[in-house]
Amino acid sequence: MVKRLFREVVVEHPHRKTNNPMPSTSNPTTSTEPGDRERSLESMKTPADLDVTPEQQATIAEIMQAHGYSGLKKTQAFAFSNGILDEGNDLLIAETGNGKTLTAEAVTLNHLKKGNRVAYLVPSTQLVWDKKEAIEEWAGDNYAIYSGRGKYRSGDVAVATFDSFYQAILQGKEGARSLDALILDDFHEIYGGFRGVGIELAISAALYEDIDLYGISATLEDSTEIGDWMNANVHVSPEDRQTPIREFAVDSSTSSTKETIIETIKQNRDDGPFLVFCFAKTWTESRAQALAEEGIFDGPSSDRNLRRELSNEVDGLLTETHREILEMLRNGVGYVHADLPGTVKKFVLDLYDEGEIQALTTTTSLAYGFDSPVKTVAVADVKRRGEYVGVYEYVQWAGRAARPSMGYEEGYCHVLADDPEEAAARFFEPDRELEDVHTHIDNNEQFRWLTLELIANGWDSIDLMREFIHKSLFYHQMAV
């Protein structure tokens, strides 16, 4: 099922002498009146309105209070009303920004109150610390939240990557096999070739160990098949995205990508802050440099001494790269990618969060779990090595715009393309179609590597290996 996220399709030609975008032949999507079930969910504003046990109401209220929430979103009410705090595995599919994370934290606390131990899994190490801090907001001194060494042995909640959990099960690390529940955050990364195999194997390991599962995802086309594999109840939220996003396909066929980015942001200067997704690390740097040189933005407050602040962050040792970054920041522009040192990355992101800089170029490292005051996303590279990126990737990038907590009435996404009509038909509502999820163990070489990995870690019995492989998506899709 593809849920409606965006409301309008427009093709832009940024180098024309006009500020009026040319509408495409696609019709804008229109909202419909909610049915009885949606109206019922709308009325569920507090835990007391839910048809759940008093103990579950208290758990939900505790999480809400810790984060300062006064009411439930429709997606949250929908999930709780459909029994995600009851026994069994569950998978929640809902739009970006509609409150899935709160449901995952409530499931976590629900397990902890029963004396269970939980692993909260995220796709990347960058997200581990952020998630640990979010859980600590409500865990306090009551529960031990670990993300470092010994987390599976000592933590009530172990915050880790999917691959970390898989390796812990594979190697028989103390505490991993005694976990009671797994939270699968940003589960949609299972699509990707980079992290998808780790997610698939982590879930296979959990199924092998009979560990409870709760997954949350914004994009998942074949949710029924994935639910069957996970032995999970699948809940697809009826709620549209809280803050609508308008999409624009930008004609970049007659100018360089760098020039088109600059012109697009110039024409929409009042729609910042901007987040520009780039394919390569070097492109994030060169495009940020070009944006800064245009002098589009005012830059940070005059009372900020950015040189001194950054110097403090890096112990006073400013390199040539630091000085180049400072010059960009003074012009209201920054960049981040995986090779940027953590202290510098945090410095740049803090300035962006504080509204001191108005444009940020990045690789896909900020595509997941990045909740900042982005109002407009620009997708600079909708093709990767000549092929279009996945629709599931695009939806995640666009979903960084106008997070509900920021209070925007609407957000914007500009997609640069040589053929804007083709890009609009592929990626925009109402025509786009999400891809199916396929196993990443899809050839003999990958299957051989999996069996060798099992053997190398002591799984030297045919029966053990067979039982593990039978829990994989590879076997599930081969058998059906």
Side-chain angles (χ1 to χ4, degrees):
M1 178 180 294
V2 180
K3 300 294 294 174
R4 179 179 298 140
L5 175 58
F6 305 106
R7 296 295 188 272
E8 189 166 345
V9 177
V10 179
V11 177
E12 284 185 327
H13 301 271
H15 298 280
R16 290 182 175 175
K17 301 295 185 180
T18 176
N19 289 326
N20 297 320
M22 181 183 72
S24 74
T25 56
S26 301
N27 294 322
T29 63
T30 56
S31 60
T32 57
E33 287 295 320
D36 292 340
R37 180 164 192 164
E38 285 82 351
R39 290 192 191 94
S40 176
L41 290 170
E42 285 283 9
S43 67
M44 296 178 179
K45 299 299 184 184
T46 69
D49 298 319
L50 302 175
D51 185 18
V52 298
T53 68
E55 292 79 12
Q56 291 173 349
Q57 290 179 358
T59 295
I60 298 165
E62 190 171 335
I63 297 291
M64 293 174 63
Q65 183 177 9
H67 292 307
Y69 300 145
S70 58
L72 291 166
K73 297 179 180 180
K74 185 192 293 185
T75 290
Q76 295 162 348
F78 166 81
F80 293 129
S81 296
N82 277 277
I84 64 168
L85 298 183
D86 296 334
E87 298 293 330
N89 299 341
D90 292 274
L91 178 58
L92 173 64
I93 314 297
E95 300 288 7
T96 57
N98 280 12
K100 297 183 296 295
T101 300
L102 182 140
T103 69
E105 293 185 12
V107 171
T108 302
L109 181 57
N110 188 55
H111 275 286
L112 293 174
K113 287 184 172 183
K114 296 176 181 178
N116 294 340
R117 297 175 59 246
V118 181
Y120 198 114
L121 305 185
V122 293
S124 68
T125 53
Q126 179 178 311
L127 296 175
V128 168
W129 181 253
D130 290 341
K131 181 52 59 181
K132 180 175 182 287
E133 285 188 325
I135 294 174
E136 286 174 337
E137 287 184 23
W138 52 262
D141 297 328
N142 297 320
Y143 305 104
I145 316 301
Y146 280 61
S147 61
R149 297 184 65 174
K151 53 184 172 287
Y152 298 113
R153 179 182 66 251
S154 305
D156 296 313
V157 179
V159 185
T161 63
F162 288 89
D163 190 61
S164 165
F165 170 76
Y166 167 61
Q167 292 297 327
I169 294 293
L170 194 67
Q171 297 164 19
K173 287 188 176 179
E174 186 179 354
R177 288 181 170 174
S178 63
L179 288 164
D180 300 289
L182 248 61
I183 306 298
L184 315 173
D185 202 344
D186 282 332
F187 175 75
H188 32 260
E189 271 281 82
I190 195 172
Y191 275 108
F194 180 53
R195 297 190 179 101
V197 64
I199 296 176
E200 178 180 347
L201 293 175
I203 295 171
S204 303
L207 292 170
Y208 175 85
E209 297 291 344
D210 198 25
I211 298 172
D212 287 352
L213 298 171
Y214 179 66
I216 55 176
S217 175
T219 51
L220 200 64
E221 173 62 13
D222 45 351
S223 57
T224 300
E225 181 184 31
I226 299 302
D228 288 343
W229 167 48
M230 293 171 53
N231 192 28
N233 301 306
V234 178
H235 314 288
V236 181
S237 172
E239 183 181 19
D240 286 342
R241 195 181 197 273
Q242 281 199 311
T243 306
I245 299 176
R246 296 178 62 199
E247 293 173 304
F248 301 86
V250 183
D251 187 355
S252 60
S253 62
T254 58
S255 301
S256 71
T257 301
K258 191 182 299 182
E259 291 172 333
T260 308
I261 291 170
I262 291 170
E263 289 303 314
T264 300
I265 289 179
K266 276 184 174 180
Q267 290 184 8
N268 300 278
R269 186 181 182 280
D270 293 338
D271 292 334
F274 298 88
L275 181 65
V276 183
F277 282 107
C278 307
F279 172 48
K281 298 169 187 175
T282 55
W283 295 348
T284 69
E285 298 176 16
S286 62
R287 291 164 181 173
Q289 180 73 46
L291 275 170
E293 291 173 354
E294 284 294 316
I296 302 171
F297 307 110
D298 296 332
S301 307
S302 58
D303 60 349
R304 297 287 296 262
N305 188 330
L306 296 186
R307 181 184 180 87
R308 183 174 62 203
E309 291 180 35
L310 182 56
S311 181
N312 291 337
E313 294 290 337
V314 298
D315 297 326
L317 303 174
L318 292 182
T319 65
E320 182 62 30
T321 298
H322 292 147
R323 287 188 282 272
E324 290 173 356
I325 290 173
L326 280 171
E327 191 59 34
M328 295 182 204
L329 295 174
R330 292 188 183 108
N331 286 283
V333 180
Y335 71 83
V336 296
H337 55 61
D339 288 348
L340 203 62
T343 53
V344 179
K345 184 185 299 182
K346 183 178 184 304
F347 180 69
V348 173
L349 291 177
D350 284 348
L351 288 173
Y352 188 74
D353 283 340
E354 295 162 7
E356 297 286 8
I357 61 175
Q358 286 293 300
L360 192 63
T361 63
T362 183
T363 55
T364 57
S365 61
L366 295 185
Y368 303 94
F370 183 60
D371 293 327
S372 278
V374 183
K375 189 173 185 181
T376 296
V377 164
V379 178
D381 305 299
V382 77
K383 286 188 176 182
R384 185 181 293 130
R385 300 184 182 92
E387 300 293 331
Y388 280 115
V389 301
V391 176
Y392 75 94
E393 292 180 274
Y394 167 75
V395 172
Q396 288 300 316
W397 299 343
R400 297 310 97 195
R403 307 292 286 184
S405 60
M406 301 304 159
Y408 300 127
E409 291 186 2
E410 63 181 6
Y412 309 95
C413 182
H414 300 263
V415 178
L416 280 60
D418 291 338
D419 187 337
E421 294 285 355
E422 182 179 73
R426 185 180 186 88
F427 293 105
F428 297 176
E429 285 283 30
D431 300 316
R432 72 160 178 256
E433 294 184 1
L434 285 170
E435 301 85 358
D436 289 338
V437 176
H438 297 289
T439 178
H440 296 280
I441 311 167
D442 56 1
N443 60 49
N444 289 336
E445 181 179 356
Q446 290 166 333
F447 182 78
R448 188 181 303 114
W449 273 111
L450 173 59
T451 55
L452 288 173
E453 187 175 41
L454 289 170
I455 293 169
N457 285 277
W459 298 57
D460 50 7
S461 158
I462 294 295
D463 289 337
L464 283 176
M465 288 192 291
R466 181 189 294 116
E467 187 175 351
F468 183 91
I469 290 168
H470 281 193
K471 297 298 183 181
S472 67
L473 181 60
F474 160 74
Y475 184 82
H476 178 82
Q477 292 187 328
M478 181 178 67
V480 296

